[in-house]
Amino acid sequence: MRLVQFELINGERRVGVVEDGLVREVQDARTVRDLALAAIEAGVNLEQQVQTLGLGISHDYAELLAKLRILPPLDHPDPAHMLVSGTGLTHLGSASARDKMHQQAGDEAAMTDTMRIFKWGVEGGKPAAGQAGVQPEWFYKGDGSIVVRPGHPFPLPPFAEDAGEEPELSGLYVIGHDGKPYRLGFAVGNEFSDHVMERKNYLYLAHSKLRSCSYGPELRVGELPEHLAGTSRILRNGEVLWQNEFLSGEANMCHSLANLEYHHFKYSQFLRPGDVHIHFFGTATLSFADGIRTQPGDVFEISQAEFGAPLINGIAPVDAVFEPGTIGTL
């Protein structure tokens, strides 16, 4: 089952199931978060909750996408109660894309910290069931205010040095009223980052991640296939500037999903009932590693057949919201 959130012409929200080019409304459902919390309370999964409510009016999916009425597939009415985070160096080949240091893999003393963490993941990122493996690189990206809806451009702040895509899978979670995290499913994501800033010094990674992101347009309910192959491409003036395959799923990862989830939700501050979490699982494919520099007007398109419609976003410069020396004093 694949779910979307969308707006009617009058701005009212709806939840829909994608079926054969149509979006069928889930009756009496206004948000996926509310749908998930109701399923938790009822002790059923998300698909069973949808079946209980039933399906109603159909809408043309292509029209909803074209008119930019599709919303992110999970959000929160208060953006402060939505945490966007991610893990890096989780995919086989991701360290190579990061710094081309595979040739030093046999000598730990000569490794960069990047290669060292990657090696730890290869050795201990897939523990036995019920056990904790080695923890991955983790980063904070922002709250719900940074999320860009499908079809809309990423804002490029004036201090940014790069506007780079990161095609990834994202896990979508709600914290139940019992204080436990529940995974609703997965969505294709673009974990938009500043790779020029990160390249200056790996300690700038935290700065480089404080950018917008997007995921969707569809939420794929249920478990994830072991192997996933998708396409990431950049369009400039309607022509393909760059294109490459990106792989995901546990068969292409050095960490299990369960291990990545454990090392995020082991922190009690991430278990506040009702909160929403979007967690990016990392990538091994970057246009930046191939020398591509994007610019305003470029368009990112990330697609995987198992997730339905592609995720499309552009780039648009925005004015500074804060200038040096302008903090008020009370």
Side-chain angles (χ1 to χ4, degrees):
M1 177 177 285
R2 302 199 307 274
L3 298 175
V4 294
Q5 295 190 121
F6 64 100
E7 292 176 334
L8 301 177
I9 294 175
N10 62 7
E12 291 184 6
R13 293 175 58 124
R14 294 289 188 273
V15 174
V17 175
V18 179
E19 292 182 347
D20 300 322
L22 298 175
V23 172
R24 297 191 62 191
E25 289 187 18
V26 180
Q27 298 190 113
D28 300 319
R30 297 295 178 266
T31 73
V32 168
R33 174 178 173 271
D34 288 343
L35 188 70
L37 290 173
I40 294 168
E41 289 296 310
V44 299
N45 64 34
L46 204 53
E47 187 167 357
Q48 290 169 328
Q49 183 66 17
V50 169
Q51 292 171 347
T52 296
L53 294 175
L55 301 180
I57 299 171
S58 295
H59 302 263
D60 184 84
Y61 189 24
E63 182 180 355
L64 292 176
L65 287 166
K67 293 186 176 180
L68 303 180
R69 285 162 49 195
I70 294 291
L71 301 165
L74 178 64
D75 55 8
H76 195 291
D78 180 356
H81 284 275
M82 180 173 168
L83 179 71
V84 185
S85 57
T87 43
L89 300 172
T90 55
H91 284 64
L92 301 172
S94 58
S96 177
R98 182 76 68 89
D99 68 358
K100 309 289 188 183
M101 293 292 289
H102 273 300
Q103 68 271 20
Q104 297 186 11
D107 181 5
E108 184 154 345
M111 288 183 191
T112 63
D113 286 336
T114 291
M115 281 307 302
R116 191 171 292 113
I117 289 179
F118 177 72
K119 181 172 180 287
W120 293 345
V122 171
E123 294 172 348
K126 293 184 175 180
Q131 297 184 16
V134 66
Q135 62 186 7
E137 175 190 59
W138 182 96
F139 60 85
Y140 168 74
K141 192 154 183 70
D143 64 16
S145 65
I146 68 162
V147 176
V148 173
R149 61 199 288 178
H152 284 233
F154 291 119
L156 183 65
F159 56 80
E161 299 180 59
D162 180 40
E165 89 297 337
E166 293 205 13
E168 305 188 19
L169 291 181
S170 56
L172 281 59
Y173 306 85
V174 167
I175 310 301
H177 295 304
D178 55 4
K180 296 179 181 179
Y182 291 83
R183 185 202 316 129
L184 283 63
F186 303 88
V188 169
N190 189 338
E191 194 267 293
F192 188 65
S193 300
D194 189 331
H195 301 111
V196 171
M197 181 177 292
E198 179 188 347
R199 186 174 63 178
K200 288 182 175 179
N201 189 301
Y202 77 96
L203 294 177
Y204 279 163
L205 175 72
H207 283 284
S208 75
K209 295 298 185 183
L210 292 173
R211 299 291 186 274
S212 297
C213 68
S214 189
Y215 51 92
E218 302 174 28
L219 161 63
R220 187 182 191 278
V221 176
E223 296 301 318
L224 192 69
E226 286 283 314
H227 172 78
L228 289 165
T231 301
S232 176
R233 65 176 184 168
I234 300 172
L235 304 177
R236 179 172 293 171
N237 299 321
E239 302 290 334
V240 176
L241 173 68
W242 175 89
Q243 179 173 304
N244 207 345
E245 179 183 58
F246 76 98
L247 303 177
S248 196
E250 287 192 353
N252 301 295
M253 298 173 68
C254 54
H255 284 266
S256 65
L257 293 173
N259 192 52
L260 299 178
E261 291 172 331
Y262 167 72
H263 285 295
H264 177 69
F265 289 111
K266 67 184 181 184
Y267 298 104
S268 59
Q269 64 264 40
F270 296 161
L271 299 176
R272 185 165 48 197
D275 278 10
V276 165
H277 289 249
I278 309 299
H279 193 77
F280 287 93
F281 290 117
T283 188
T285 304
L286 304 172
S287 65
F288 182 78
D290 292 335
I292 299 297
R293 292 293 301 273
T294 62
Q295 62 188 37
D298 289 351
V299 174
F300 301 112
E301 183 177 290
I302 298 173
S303 59
Q304 282 191 330
E306 294 84 355
F307 290 83
L311 175 64
I312 298 174
N313 301 96
I315 308 171
V318 295
D319 294 333
V321 296
F322 178 76
E323 299 290 350
T326 59
I327 290 180
T329 300
L330 298 178

